[in-house]
Amino acid sequence: MTKNSKVPALVGAGVGLALFLAVALLPALLYGGYAGVMLAGGIFGTPVTASFAARALIVFGMVLGVTAVGSLFAVAGAAAGAAIGAIIGLTPAAPKKAAEKAKA
């Protein structure tokens, strides 16, 4: 294994995504839908009618909100996992064979 092991970062990203599903999925849908309603209201006028284009903008806002917040949680979890892995020394040391070859 190399010195820059990706295991702590991957574990952190998994924990971040699990935390996202438990805590932030519904607020991301809510605020993304609100942003979609505001966008549809700006484009089509306010009271937003139930047309296909307005509904598509609202769904687009919801998908964008979930994607943005989910990626934020995954990246923050990966960074935290990599930092914790570096602090407690989960990254493996250099192989002994390479150190022995360097001495000879």
Side-chain angles (χ1 to χ4, degrees), residues 12-81:
V15 169
L17 285 176
L19 189 64
F20 164 72
L21 289 175
V23 174
L25 180 63
L26 290 177
L29 283 170
L30 178 75
Y31 289 120
Y34 179 68
V37 168
M38 296 297 290
L39 180 63
I43 292 174
F44 299 117
T46 52
V48 178
T49 59
S51 66
F52 178 74
R55 288 182 183 182
L57 282 174
I58 294 169
V59 169
F60 173 72
M62 293 172 83
V63 169
L64 188 64
V66 168
T67 304
V69 175
S71 63
L72 176 72
F73 270 73
V75 168

Side-chain angles (χ1 to χ4, degrees), residues 1 9-10 17 27 32 35-36 47 50 55 65 68 78 82 88 95:
M1 294 189 66
L10 290 175
L17 285 176
R55 288 182 183 182
I88 65 173

